[in-house]
Short mmCIF file of all heavy atoms in Angstrom, two decimals:
data_model
loop_
_atom_site.label_atom_id
_atom_site.label_comp_id
_atom_site.label_asym_id
_atom_site.label_seq_id
_atom_site.Cartn_x
_atom_site.Cartn_y
_atom_site.Cartn_z
N MET A 6 -19.04 -4.68 3.71
CA MET A 6 -18.99 -3.81 4.86
C MET A 6 -20.41 -3.43 5.23
O MET A 6 -21.31 -3.45 4.42
CB MET A 6 -18.13 -2.59 4.55
CG MET A 6 -17.85 -1.78 5.79
SD MET A 6 -16.33 -0.79 5.87
CE MET A 6 -16.09 -0.15 4.27
N ASN A 7 -20.61 -3.06 6.47
CA ASN A 7 -21.92 -2.66 6.96
C ASN A 7 -22.38 -1.40 6.25
O ASN A 7 -21.60 -0.68 5.66
CB ASN A 7 -21.87 -2.39 8.47
CG ASN A 7 -21.48 -3.62 9.25
OD1 ASN A 7 -21.58 -4.73 8.76
ND2 ASN A 7 -21.04 -3.40 10.47
N SER A 8 -23.71 -1.10 6.37
CA SER A 8 -24.21 0.13 5.77
C SER A 8 -23.63 1.34 6.52
O SER A 8 -23.45 2.39 5.96
CB SER A 8 -25.73 0.15 5.81
OG SER A 8 -26.19 0.05 7.14
N LYS A 9 -23.33 1.15 7.81
CA LYS A 9 -22.67 2.20 8.59
C LYS A 9 -21.17 2.11 8.33
O LYS A 9 -20.58 1.04 8.43
CB LYS A 9 -22.96 1.98 10.08
CG LYS A 9 -22.22 2.89 11.01
CD LYS A 9 -22.37 2.40 12.44
CE LYS A 9 -21.04 2.29 12.97
NZ LYS A 9 -20.35 1.83 13.89
N GLU A 10 -20.56 3.25 8.00
CA GLU A 10 -19.12 3.24 7.74
C GLU A 10 -18.38 3.01 9.05
O GLU A 10 -18.65 3.63 10.06
CB GLU A 10 -18.68 4.55 7.11
CG GLU A 10 -17.21 4.53 6.73
CD GLU A 10 -16.76 5.78 6.02
OE1 GLU A 10 -17.61 6.47 5.46
OE2 GLU A 10 -15.56 6.05 6.05
N ILE A 11 -17.45 2.08 9.02
CA ILE A 11 -16.67 1.72 10.20
C ILE A 11 -15.54 2.75 10.36
O ILE A 11 -14.97 3.21 9.37
CB ILE A 11 -16.13 0.29 10.05
CG1 ILE A 11 -15.51 -0.21 11.34
CG2 ILE A 11 -15.16 0.17 8.91
CD1 ILE A 11 -15.20 -1.70 11.33
N ASN A 12 -15.25 3.13 11.61
CA ASN A 12 -14.16 4.08 11.80
C ASN A 12 -12.83 3.33 11.92
O ASN A 12 -12.79 2.10 11.99
CB ASN A 12 -14.42 5.00 13.01
CG ASN A 12 -14.41 4.29 14.35
OD1 ASN A 12 -13.59 3.40 14.59
ND2 ASN A 12 -15.29 4.69 15.23
N TYR A 13 -11.75 4.10 11.93
CA TYR A 13 -10.41 3.51 11.94
C TYR A 13 -10.21 2.60 13.14
O TYR A 13 -9.73 1.47 13.00
CB TYR A 13 -9.34 4.60 11.92
CG TYR A 13 -7.95 4.03 12.01
CD1 TYR A 13 -7.29 3.60 10.87
CD2 TYR A 13 -7.31 3.88 13.24
CE1 TYR A 13 -6.02 3.04 10.94
CE2 TYR A 13 -6.04 3.32 13.32
CZ TYR A 13 -5.40 2.91 12.18
OH TYR A 13 -4.16 2.34 12.25
N THR A 14 -10.58 3.07 14.32
CA THR A 14 -10.35 2.30 15.55
C THR A 14 -11.10 0.98 15.51
O THR A 14 -10.55 -0.07 15.86
CB THR A 14 -10.76 3.13 16.78
OG1 THR A 14 -10.00 4.34 16.79
CG2 THR A 14 -10.52 2.37 18.06
N GLU A 15 -12.35 1.01 15.07
CA GLU A 15 -13.14 -0.21 14.97
C GLU A 15 -12.52 -1.19 13.97
O GLU A 15 -12.42 -2.39 14.25
CB GLU A 15 -14.58 0.10 14.55
CG GLU A 15 -15.37 0.87 15.58
CD GLU A 15 -16.68 1.42 15.04
OE1 GLU A 15 -16.80 1.63 13.82
OE2 GLU A 15 -17.58 1.65 15.87
N ALA A 16 -12.09 -0.66 12.84
CA ALA A 16 -11.49 -1.51 11.81
C ALA A 16 -10.20 -2.13 12.32
O ALA A 16 -9.95 -3.33 12.14
CB ALA A 16 -11.22 -0.70 10.53
N PHE A 17 -9.36 -1.33 12.97
CA PHE A 17 -8.08 -1.81 13.47
C PHE A 17 -8.29 -2.86 14.57
O PHE A 17 -7.60 -3.89 14.59
CB PHE A 17 -7.23 -0.65 13.98
CG PHE A 17 -5.82 -1.03 14.29
CD1 PHE A 17 -4.94 -1.36 13.27
CD2 PHE A 17 -5.37 -1.08 15.60
CE1 PHE A 17 -3.63 -1.73 13.55
CE2 PHE A 17 -4.06 -1.44 15.89
CZ PHE A 17 -3.19 -1.77 14.86
N GLU A 18 -9.23 -2.63 15.46
CA GLU A 18 -9.51 -3.59 16.53
C GLU A 18 -10.02 -4.91 15.96
O GLU A 18 -9.60 -5.99 16.39
CB GLU A 18 -10.52 -3.02 17.53
CG GLU A 18 -9.95 -1.91 18.39
CD GLU A 18 -8.76 -2.32 19.22
OE1 GLU A 18 -8.76 -3.43 19.78
OE2 GLU A 18 -7.79 -1.53 19.30
N GLU A 19 -10.91 -4.85 14.98
CA GLU A 19 -11.41 -6.08 14.36
C GLU A 19 -10.28 -6.82 13.64
O GLU A 19 -10.19 -8.05 13.70
CB GLU A 19 -12.55 -5.76 13.39
CG GLU A 19 -13.20 -7.01 12.83
CD GLU A 19 -14.37 -6.74 11.90
OE1 GLU A 19 -14.92 -5.62 11.91
OE2 GLU A 19 -14.73 -7.67 11.14
N LEU A 20 -9.43 -6.06 12.98
CA LEU A 20 -8.28 -6.66 12.30
C LEU A 20 -7.36 -7.37 13.29
O LEU A 20 -6.89 -8.48 13.03
CB LEU A 20 -7.52 -5.59 11.51
CG LEU A 20 -6.37 -6.05 10.64
CD1 LEU A 20 -6.83 -7.09 9.62
CD2 LEU A 20 -5.75 -4.86 9.94
N LYS A 21 -7.12 -6.75 14.44
CA LYS A 21 -6.28 -7.37 15.46
C LYS A 21 -6.88 -8.68 15.96
O LYS A 21 -6.15 -9.65 16.19
CB LYS A 21 -6.06 -6.42 16.64
CG LYS A 21 -5.13 -5.28 16.32
CD LYS A 21 -4.62 -4.49 17.51
CE LYS A 21 -5.61 -4.15 18.57
NZ LYS A 21 -5.09 -3.22 19.59
N VAL A 22 -8.20 -8.74 16.09
CA VAL A 22 -8.87 -9.96 16.52
C VAL A 22 -8.68 -11.07 15.48
O VAL A 22 -8.38 -12.21 15.84
CB VAL A 22 -10.37 -9.69 16.78
CG1 VAL A 22 -11.14 -10.99 16.97
CG2 VAL A 22 -10.55 -8.78 17.98
N ILE A 23 -8.84 -10.72 14.21
CA ILE A 23 -8.66 -11.71 13.14
C ILE A 23 -7.22 -12.22 13.12
O ILE A 23 -6.98 -13.42 13.04
CB ILE A 23 -9.05 -11.11 11.77
CG1 ILE A 23 -10.57 -10.87 11.72
CG2 ILE A 23 -8.63 -12.04 10.63
CD1 ILE A 23 -11.03 -10.08 10.51
N VAL A 24 -6.26 -11.30 13.22
CA VAL A 24 -4.85 -11.69 13.19
C VAL A 24 -4.52 -12.60 14.38
O VAL A 24 -3.85 -13.63 14.23
CB VAL A 24 -3.92 -10.45 13.16
CG1 VAL A 24 -2.48 -10.83 13.39
CG2 VAL A 24 -4.07 -9.72 11.83
N ALA A 25 -5.01 -12.24 15.56
CA ALA A 25 -4.75 -13.06 16.74
C ALA A 25 -5.34 -14.46 16.58
O ALA A 25 -4.70 -15.46 16.91
CB ALA A 25 -5.32 -12.38 17.98
N ALA A 26 -6.55 -14.53 16.03
CA ALA A 26 -7.18 -15.83 15.81
C ALA A 26 -6.40 -16.66 14.81
O ALA A 26 -6.23 -17.87 14.98
CB ALA A 26 -8.63 -15.64 15.35
N LEU A 27 -5.88 -16.00 13.77
CA LEU A 27 -5.05 -16.71 12.78
C LEU A 27 -3.77 -17.22 13.43
O LEU A 27 -3.38 -18.37 13.23
CB LEU A 27 -4.70 -15.79 11.62
CG LEU A 27 -5.80 -15.52 10.60
CD1 LEU A 27 -5.40 -14.37 9.68
CD2 LEU A 27 -6.09 -16.77 9.79
N GLU A 28 -3.12 -16.37 14.21
CA GLU A 28 -1.87 -16.75 14.85
C GLU A 28 -2.05 -17.89 15.85
O GLU A 28 -1.16 -18.73 16.01
CB GLU A 28 -1.25 -15.54 15.57
CG GLU A 28 -0.73 -14.49 14.62
CD GLU A 28 -0.22 -13.24 15.32
OE1 GLU A 28 -0.55 -12.99 16.49
OE2 GLU A 28 0.54 -12.50 14.67
N GLN A 29 -3.20 -17.93 16.49
CA GLN A 29 -3.45 -18.96 17.49
C GLN A 29 -4.11 -20.20 16.90
O GLN A 29 -4.43 -21.14 17.64
CB GLN A 29 -4.31 -18.38 18.62
CG GLN A 29 -3.60 -17.27 19.37
CD GLN A 29 -4.50 -16.55 20.35
OE1 GLN A 29 -5.62 -16.95 20.59
NE2 GLN A 29 -4.00 -15.47 20.92
N GLY A 30 -4.32 -20.21 15.60
CA GLY A 30 -4.91 -21.37 14.95
C GLY A 30 -6.37 -21.59 15.28
O GLY A 30 -6.86 -22.71 15.22
N GLU A 31 -7.07 -20.51 15.63
CA GLU A 31 -8.48 -20.62 16.03
C GLU A 31 -9.45 -20.59 14.85
O GLU A 31 -10.64 -20.78 15.03
CB GLU A 31 -8.83 -19.49 17.00
CG GLU A 31 -8.06 -19.55 18.30
CD GLU A 31 -8.32 -18.35 19.19
OE1 GLU A 31 -9.00 -17.41 18.76
OE2 GLU A 31 -7.81 -18.36 20.32
N ILE A 32 -8.95 -20.34 13.66
CA ILE A 32 -9.81 -20.24 12.50
C ILE A 32 -9.70 -21.52 11.70
O ILE A 32 -8.61 -21.98 11.37
CB ILE A 32 -9.41 -19.02 11.64
CG1 ILE A 32 -9.66 -17.73 12.44
CG2 ILE A 32 -10.17 -18.99 10.32
CD1 ILE A 32 -9.25 -16.47 11.75
N THR A 33 -10.86 -22.07 11.40
CA THR A 33 -10.89 -23.32 10.63
C THR A 33 -10.63 -23.03 9.15
O THR A 33 -10.74 -21.88 8.70
CB THR A 33 -12.25 -24.01 10.76
OG1 THR A 33 -13.25 -23.20 10.11
CG2 THR A 33 -12.63 -24.25 12.20
N VAL A 34 -10.31 -24.06 8.43
CA VAL A 34 -10.09 -23.92 6.99
C VAL A 34 -11.35 -23.39 6.33
O VAL A 34 -11.29 -22.58 5.40
CB VAL A 34 -9.66 -25.28 6.38
CG1 VAL A 34 -9.62 -25.21 4.87
CG2 VAL A 34 -8.32 -25.71 6.95
N ASP A 35 -12.50 -23.81 6.82
CA ASP A 35 -13.77 -23.35 6.26
C ASP A 35 -13.98 -21.85 6.47
O ASP A 35 -14.60 -21.18 5.65
CB ASP A 35 -14.95 -24.11 6.88
CG ASP A 35 -14.91 -25.59 6.57
OD1 ASP A 35 -14.45 -25.95 5.47
OD2 ASP A 35 -15.33 -26.39 7.42
N GLU A 36 -13.46 -21.29 7.55
CA GLU A 36 -13.61 -19.87 7.86
C GLU A 36 -12.51 -19.01 7.24
O GLU A 36 -12.66 -17.80 7.13
CB GLU A 36 -13.56 -19.64 9.37
CG GLU A 36 -14.64 -20.32 10.16
CD GLU A 36 -14.39 -20.20 11.65
OE1 GLU A 36 -13.26 -20.49 12.10
OE2 GLU A 36 -15.35 -19.82 12.35
N LEU A 37 -11.41 -19.64 6.87
CA LEU A 37 -10.21 -18.92 6.48
C LEU A 37 -10.44 -17.91 5.35
O LEU A 37 -10.06 -16.75 5.46
CB LEU A 37 -9.10 -19.90 6.09
CG LEU A 37 -7.75 -19.28 5.75
CD1 LEU A 37 -7.20 -18.49 6.92
CD2 LEU A 37 -6.78 -20.36 5.32
N SER A 38 -11.06 -18.33 4.28
CA SER A 38 -11.28 -17.46 3.13
C SER A 38 -12.06 -16.21 3.52
O SER A 38 -11.70 -15.09 3.16
CB SER A 38 -12.00 -18.22 2.03
OG SER A 38 -12.24 -17.38 0.93
N GLY A 39 -13.14 -16.39 4.26
CA GLY A 39 -13.97 -15.26 4.68
C GLY A 39 -13.21 -14.31 5.59
O GLY A 39 -13.33 -13.09 5.47
N LYS A 40 -12.42 -14.88 6.49
CA LYS A 40 -11.64 -14.04 7.42
C LYS A 40 -10.56 -13.25 6.68
O LYS A 40 -10.33 -12.09 6.97
CB LYS A 40 -11.00 -14.89 8.52
CG LYS A 40 -11.98 -15.53 9.46
CD LYS A 40 -12.70 -14.50 10.30
CE LYS A 40 -13.61 -15.17 11.31
NZ LYS A 40 -14.36 -14.22 12.12
N VAL A 41 -9.92 -13.89 5.71
CA VAL A 41 -8.89 -13.19 4.93
C VAL A 41 -9.53 -12.08 4.10
O VAL A 41 -9.00 -10.96 4.03
CB VAL A 41 -8.10 -14.18 4.04
CG1 VAL A 41 -7.22 -13.44 3.05
CG2 VAL A 41 -7.27 -15.12 4.90
N GLU A 42 -10.70 -12.34 3.50
CA GLU A 42 -11.40 -11.32 2.73
C GLU A 42 -11.77 -10.14 3.63
O GLU A 42 -11.62 -8.98 3.25
CB GLU A 42 -12.65 -11.89 2.07
CG GLU A 42 -12.36 -12.77 0.87
CD GLU A 42 -13.62 -13.34 0.25
OE1 GLU A 42 -14.72 -12.78 0.48
OE2 GLU A 42 -13.50 -14.34 -0.48
N ARG A 43 -12.26 -10.44 4.83
CA ARG A 43 -12.63 -9.38 5.77
C ARG A 43 -11.39 -8.59 6.19
O ARG A 43 -11.43 -7.36 6.27
CB ARG A 43 -13.33 -9.97 7.00
CG ARG A 43 -13.75 -8.95 8.02
CD ARG A 43 -14.75 -7.97 7.46
NE ARG A 43 -15.14 -7.02 8.50
CZ ARG A 43 -15.64 -5.83 8.28
NH1 ARG A 43 -15.87 -5.44 7.04
NH2 ARG A 43 -15.95 -5.03 9.27
N ALA A 44 -10.28 -9.28 6.43
CA ALA A 44 -9.04 -8.61 6.81
C ALA A 44 -8.59 -7.66 5.70
O ALA A 44 -8.16 -6.53 5.99
CB ALA A 44 -7.95 -9.63 7.13
N VAL A 45 -8.72 -8.08 4.46
CA VAL A 45 -8.34 -7.22 3.33
C VAL A 45 -9.22 -5.97 3.32
O VAL A 45 -8.72 -4.85 3.13
CB VAL A 45 -8.43 -7.99 2.00
CG1 VAL A 45 -8.33 -7.04 0.81
CG2 VAL A 45 -7.34 -9.04 1.94
N GLN A 46 -10.52 -6.13 3.53
CA GLN A 46 -11.43 -4.98 3.59
C GLN A 46 -11.01 -4.02 4.71
O GLN A 46 -10.99 -2.80 4.52
CB GLN A 46 -12.87 -5.43 3.84
CG GLN A 46 -13.53 -6.14 2.70
CD GLN A 46 -14.89 -6.67 3.10
OE1 GLN A 46 -15.21 -6.80 4.28
NE2 GLN A 46 -15.71 -6.99 2.11
N LEU A 47 -10.69 -4.58 5.86
CA LEU A 47 -10.31 -3.76 7.01
C LEU A 47 -9.00 -3.03 6.75
O LEU A 47 -8.86 -1.85 7.11
CB LEU A 47 -10.22 -4.62 8.27
CG LEU A 47 -11.54 -5.22 8.74
CD1 LEU A 47 -11.29 -6.29 9.79
CD2 LEU A 47 -12.46 -4.14 9.28
N ILE A 48 -8.05 -3.71 6.13
CA ILE A 48 -6.76 -3.08 5.81
C ILE A 48 -6.99 -1.92 4.84
O ILE A 48 -6.41 -0.83 5.00
CB ILE A 48 -5.77 -4.11 5.24
CG1 ILE A 48 -5.34 -5.07 6.35
CG2 ILE A 48 -4.56 -3.43 4.60
CD1 ILE A 48 -4.61 -6.31 5.84
N LYS A 49 -7.83 -2.13 3.83
CA LYS A 49 -8.13 -1.06 2.88
C LYS A 49 -8.79 0.13 3.57
O LYS A 49 -8.48 1.28 3.27
CB LYS A 49 -9.02 -1.58 1.75
CG LYS A 49 -8.31 -2.48 0.77
CD LYS A 49 -9.26 -2.97 -0.30
CE LYS A 49 -8.56 -3.87 -1.29
NZ LYS A 49 -9.49 -4.38 -2.34
N THR A 50 -9.71 -0.16 4.50
CA THR A 50 -10.38 0.89 5.25
C THR A 50 -9.37 1.68 6.07
O THR A 50 -9.36 2.92 6.04
CB THR A 50 -11.46 0.30 6.18
OG1 THR A 50 -12.47 -0.31 5.37
CG2 THR A 50 -12.08 1.35 7.06
N CYS A 51 -8.51 0.98 6.79
CA CYS A 51 -7.49 1.64 7.61
C CYS A 51 -6.56 2.49 6.74
O CYS A 51 -6.26 3.64 7.07
CB CYS A 51 -6.69 0.63 8.42
SG CYS A 51 -7.63 -0.13 9.77
N LYS A 52 -6.11 1.92 5.64
CA LYS A 52 -5.19 2.65 4.75
C LYS A 52 -5.85 3.90 4.19
O LYS A 52 -5.25 4.98 4.15
CB LYS A 52 -4.71 1.75 3.61
CG LYS A 52 -3.70 2.46 2.71
CD LYS A 52 -3.22 1.57 1.60
CE LYS A 52 -2.22 2.22 0.69
NZ LYS A 52 -2.33 3.62 0.41
N SER A 53 -7.09 3.78 3.78
CA SER A 53 -7.82 4.91 3.24
C SER A 53 -7.96 6.02 4.28
O SER A 53 -7.74 7.20 3.98
CB SER A 53 -9.20 4.46 2.77
OG SER A 53 -10.00 5.56 2.40
N LYS A 54 -8.30 5.64 5.49
CA LYS A 54 -8.46 6.64 6.55
C LYS A 54 -7.13 7.27 6.92
O LYS A 54 -7.06 8.48 7.17
CB LYS A 54 -9.16 6.02 7.75
CG LYS A 54 -10.61 5.67 7.43
CD LYS A 54 -11.36 5.15 8.59
CE LYS A 54 -12.80 4.82 8.22
NZ LYS A 54 -13.59 5.96 7.80
N LEU A 55 -6.07 6.49 6.95
CA LEU A 55 -4.74 7.05 7.23
C LEU A 55 -4.30 7.99 6.11
O LEU A 55 -3.73 9.06 6.38
CB LEU A 55 -3.71 5.93 7.41
CG LEU A 55 -3.82 5.14 8.72
CD1 LEU A 55 -2.90 3.93 8.68
CD2 LEU A 55 -3.50 6.02 9.91
N ASP A 56 -4.54 7.60 4.87
CA ASP A 56 -4.19 8.46 3.74
C ASP A 56 -4.95 9.79 3.81
O ASP A 56 -4.38 10.85 3.58
CB ASP A 56 -4.50 7.77 2.40
CG ASP A 56 -3.54 6.64 2.08
OD1 ASP A 56 -2.47 6.54 2.73
OD2 ASP A 56 -3.87 5.82 1.18
N ARG A 57 -6.24 9.71 4.14
CA ARG A 57 -7.06 10.92 4.25
C ARG A 57 -6.55 11.81 5.38
O ARG A 57 -6.46 13.03 5.23
CB ARG A 57 -8.52 10.53 4.50
CG ARG A 57 -9.48 11.40 3.73
CD ARG A 57 -10.93 10.94 3.81
NE ARG A 57 -11.07 9.52 3.50
CZ ARG A 57 -11.95 8.72 4.09
NH1 ARG A 57 -12.75 9.17 5.01
NH2 ARG A 57 -12.02 7.45 3.75
N ALA A 58 -6.21 11.20 6.51
CA ALA A 58 -5.69 11.97 7.64
C ALA A 58 -4.36 12.62 7.27
O ALA A 58 -4.11 13.78 7.61
CB ALA A 58 -5.52 11.08 8.86
N ASP A 59 -3.51 11.89 6.56
CA ASP A 59 -2.22 12.42 6.13
C ASP A 59 -2.42 13.64 5.21
O ASP A 59 -1.76 14.67 5.38
CB ASP A 59 -1.42 11.34 5.42
CG ASP A 59 -0.05 11.81 4.98
OD1 ASP A 59 0.72 12.30 5.82
OD2 ASP A 59 0.26 11.69 3.77
N GLU A 60 -3.34 13.52 4.28
CA GLU A 60 -3.63 14.64 3.37
C GLU A 60 -4.14 15.85 4.15
O GLU A 60 -3.72 16.98 3.89
CB GLU A 60 -4.68 14.21 2.33
CG GLU A 60 -4.17 13.22 1.31
CD GLU A 60 -5.28 12.66 0.43
OE1 GLU A 60 -6.43 13.16 0.49
OE2 GLU A 60 -5.00 11.71 -0.32
N ASP A 61 -5.04 15.60 5.12
CA ASP A 61 -5.58 16.70 5.92
C ASP A 61 -4.48 17.40 6.72
O ASP A 61 -4.42 18.62 6.77
CB ASP A 61 -6.67 16.19 6.88
CG ASP A 61 -7.94 15.80 6.16
OD1 ASP A 61 -8.10 16.15 4.97
OD2 ASP A 61 -8.78 15.12 6.79
N VAL A 62 -3.61 16.61 7.34
CA VAL A 62 -2.52 17.18 8.14
C VAL A 62 -1.58 17.98 7.24
O VAL A 62 -1.18 19.11 7.59
CB VAL A 62 -1.75 16.08 8.91
CG1 VAL A 62 -0.47 16.61 9.50
CG2 VAL A 62 -2.64 15.48 10.00
N ARG A 63 -1.24 17.44 6.08
CA ARG A 63 -0.36 18.17 5.15
C ARG A 63 -1.00 19.48 4.70
O ARG A 63 -0.33 20.52 4.60
CB ARG A 63 0.00 17.30 3.95
CG ARG A 63 0.94 16.18 4.29
CD ARG A 63 1.21 15.30 3.06
NE ARG A 63 1.92 14.11 3.41
CZ ARG A 63 3.26 14.02 3.49
NH1 ARG A 63 3.99 15.08 3.24
NH2 ARG A 63 3.84 12.90 3.82
N ARG A 64 -2.30 19.44 4.43
CA ARG A 64 -3.01 20.66 4.01
C ARG A 64 -3.00 21.68 5.13
O ARG A 64 -2.69 22.86 4.91
CB ARG A 64 -4.46 20.32 3.62
CG ARG A 64 -5.27 21.54 3.19
CD ARG A 64 -6.73 21.19 2.93
NE ARG A 64 -7.35 20.39 3.96
CZ ARG A 64 -7.80 20.86 5.13
NH1 ARG A 64 -7.67 22.14 5.41
NH2 ARG A 64 -8.38 20.06 6.01
N ILE A 65 -3.30 21.25 6.34
CA ILE A 65 -3.33 22.16 7.49
C ILE A 65 -1.95 22.75 7.74
O ILE A 65 -1.81 23.96 7.96
CB ILE A 65 -3.86 21.43 8.73
CG1 ILE A 65 -5.34 21.11 8.55
CG2 ILE A 65 -3.63 22.25 9.99
CD1 ILE A 65 -5.90 20.11 9.54
N LEU A 66 -0.92 21.91 7.70
CA LEU A 66 0.44 22.41 7.90
C LEU A 66 0.83 23.38 6.80
O LEU A 66 1.51 24.38 7.05
CB LEU A 66 1.44 21.25 7.99
CG LEU A 66 1.33 20.38 9.23
CD1 LEU A 66 2.30 19.20 9.14
CD2 LEU A 66 1.57 21.19 10.50
N GLY A 67 0.40 23.10 5.57
CA GLY A 67 0.67 24.01 4.46
C GLY A 67 0.00 25.36 4.69
O GLY A 67 0.60 26.41 4.45
N GLU A 68 -1.23 25.32 5.18
CA GLU A 68 -1.95 26.57 5.47
C GLU A 68 -1.25 27.33 6.59
O GLU A 68 -1.14 28.56 6.53
CB GLU A 68 -3.40 26.27 5.84
CG GLU A 68 -4.23 25.79 4.67
CD GLU A 68 -5.60 25.28 5.08
OE1 GLU A 68 -5.94 25.33 6.29
OE2 GLU A 68 -6.35 24.83 4.19
N LEU A 69 -0.80 26.62 7.60
CA LEU A 69 -0.08 27.27 8.70
C LEU A 69 1.22 27.89 8.20
O LEU A 69 1.58 29.00 8.57
CB LEU A 69 0.25 26.25 9.81
CG LEU A 69 -0.90 25.85 10.71
CD1 LEU A 69 -0.46 24.74 11.64
CD2 LEU A 69 -1.40 27.04 11.51
N ASN A 70 1.92 27.16 7.35
CA ASN A 70 3.17 27.65 6.79
C ASN A 70 2.93 28.89 5.93
O ASN A 70 3.68 29.86 6.03
CB ASN A 70 3.86 26.56 5.98
CG ASN A 70 5.27 26.94 5.60
OD1 ASN A 70 5.96 27.64 6.32
ND2 ASN A 70 5.72 26.44 4.46
N GLU A 71 1.88 28.87 5.14
CA GLU A 71 1.54 30.04 4.32
C GLU A 71 1.21 31.23 5.21
O GLU A 71 1.62 32.35 4.94
CB GLU A 71 0.37 29.73 3.40
CG GLU A 71 0.70 28.77 2.28
CD GLU A 71 -0.53 28.33 1.51
OE1 GLU A 71 -1.63 28.87 1.75
OE2 GLU A 71 -0.38 27.43 0.67
N GLY A 72 0.49 30.98 6.30
CA GLY A 72 0.14 32.05 7.24
C GLY A 72 1.37 32.61 7.92
O GLY A 72 1.51 33.82 8.09
N SER A 73 2.29 31.76 8.29
CA SER A 73 3.54 32.20 8.93
C SER A 73 4.39 33.01 7.98
O SER A 73 4.98 34.02 8.34
CB SER A 73 4.35 30.99 9.43
OG SER A 73 3.63 30.29 10.41
N THR A 74 4.43 32.60 6.73
CA THR A 74 5.20 33.30 5.71
C THR A 74 4.59 34.69 5.47
O THR A 74 5.30 35.69 5.36
CB THR A 74 5.24 32.49 4.40
OG1 THR A 74 5.76 31.20 4.67
CG2 THR A 74 6.08 33.17 3.35
N ALA A 75 3.27 34.76 5.41
CA ALA A 75 2.59 36.03 5.18
C ALA A 75 2.80 36.96 6.38
O ALA A 75 3.04 38.15 6.21
CB ALA A 75 1.11 35.79 4.94
N GLU A 76 2.76 36.42 7.60
CA GLU A 76 2.96 37.23 8.80
C GLU A 76 4.41 37.75 8.83
O GLU A 76 4.63 38.90 9.17
CB GLU A 76 2.68 36.41 10.05
CG GLU A 76 1.21 36.14 10.29
CD GLU A 76 0.97 35.25 11.49
OE1 GLU A 76 1.90 35.02 12.28
OE2 GLU A 76 -0.17 34.77 11.61
N ALA A 77 5.36 36.92 8.46
CA ALA A 77 6.77 37.34 8.45
C ALA A 77 6.99 38.43 7.41
O ALA A 77 7.78 39.36 7.64
CB ALA A 77 7.68 36.14 8.18
N ALA A 78 6.31 38.35 6.29
CA ALA A 78 6.46 39.36 5.24
C ALA A 78 5.87 40.69 5.67
O ALA A 78 6.32 41.75 5.25
CB ALA A 78 5.79 38.87 3.96
N ASP A 79 4.84 40.62 6.53
CA ASP A 79 4.19 41.85 7.02
C ASP A 79 5.04 42.58 8.04
O ASP A 79 4.86 43.76 8.26
CB ASP A 79 2.83 41.54 7.63
CG ASP A 79 1.81 41.12 6.57
OD1 ASP A 79 2.04 41.41 5.38
OD2 ASP A 79 0.79 40.51 6.94
N LYS A 80 5.98 41.89 8.66
CA LYS A 80 6.78 42.51 9.76
C LYS A 80 7.92 43.30 9.25
O LYS A 80 8.46 43.38 8.30
CB LYS A 80 7.29 41.44 10.71
CG LYS A 80 6.16 40.85 11.50
CD LYS A 80 6.68 39.86 12.51
CE LYS A 80 5.51 39.28 13.29
NZ LYS A 80 5.89 38.32 14.25
#
């Protein structure tokens, strides 16, 4: 991967390009291994970012729920 961390959108867009090229038979046998390795890296990046976002959303919702519970107890 580049020294600059790729964001989810960039990774997903690059992955779509690789998949489309595979589906259309545009990748030669010589390129195949490298493209598959890159696709695996991109999938891992996307999964990691989705997992992180899921954790953040769950944490935020938990904090909101705790705040709502505390407000209800105060009433």
Side-chain angles (χ1 to χ4, degrees):
M6 190 152 37
N7 298 341
S8 59
K9 173 192 127 195
E10 185 176 338
I11 190 169
N12 67 39
Y13 177 85
T14 302
E15 293 168 335
F17 190 69
E18 290 300 318
E19 186 178 342
L20 185 57
K21 287 194 317 189
V22 169
I23 292 171
V24 170
L27 284 168
E28 290 176 341
Q29 296 171 8
E31 297 174 354
I32 295 177
T33 67
V34 172
D35 296 327
E36 298 172 311
L37 184 59
S38 178
K40 293 293 184 181
V41 170
E42 285 179 20
R43 180 62 179 158
V45 168
Q46 290 174 342
L47 294 167
I48 290 167
K49 287 179 180 179
T50 296
C51 289
K52 183 180 180 325
S53 172
K54 292 184 180 297
L55 287 171
D56 288 345
R57 220 172 310 144
D59 182 56
E60 290 171 9
D61 289 346
V62 169
R63 288 177 190 273
R64 179 185 48 78
I65 292 166
L66 291 175
E68 290 171 2
L69 284 173
N70 191 32
E71 290 172 7
S73 297
T74 304
E76 287 176 13
D79 290 341
K80 290 184 180 179

